[in-house]
Amino acid sequence: MFDRIKKMYVGKVIYRIARLPVIGVPVLILSRFVQYEIFQIVHLLPSNIAHNKRARTALEEFEAKLK
């Protein structure tokens, strides 16, 4: 996906803005944040949130049995 964005006109403009001294630093930080996929839009889906809640509950129950 990111390769496709990099080749698009918008990606090239973002790259140029990221290289500007004053404006570029926040854009560069944001681009690195997105690039490393620390945060993905999928994380906000209700199904993903419900899955994480079930997994957290199962883990807490498992850890409680170990004590």
Side-chain angles (χ1 to χ4, degrees):
M1 179 176 129
F2 292 113
D3 291 333
R4 210 171 69 206
I5 293 173
K6 288 178 186 177
K7 293 177 184 177
M8 293 172 55
Y9 178 75
V10 175
K12 292 177 182 180
V13 170
I14 291 172
Y15 178 81
R16 288 186 201 122
I17 291 172
R19 299 298 178 240
L20 295 175
V22 178
I23 303 170
V25 176
V27 173
L28 192 58
I29 291 170
L30 181 62
S31 69
R32 286 183 180 162
F33 179 74
V34 172
Q35 180 180 3
Y36 292 118
E37 299 182 13
I38 297 169
F39 175 77
Q40 297 178 1
I41 300 298
V42 179
H43 295 157
L44 300 177
L45 292 176
S47 60
N48 194 1
I49 293 171
H51 166 74
N52 290 343
K53 187 175 181 179
R54 288 190 308 271
R56 191 176 319 114
T57 303
L59 180 61
E60 289 171 356
E61 290 173 3
F62 176 76
E63 289 177 342
K65 290 179 185 177
L66 292 177
K67 293 181 183 181

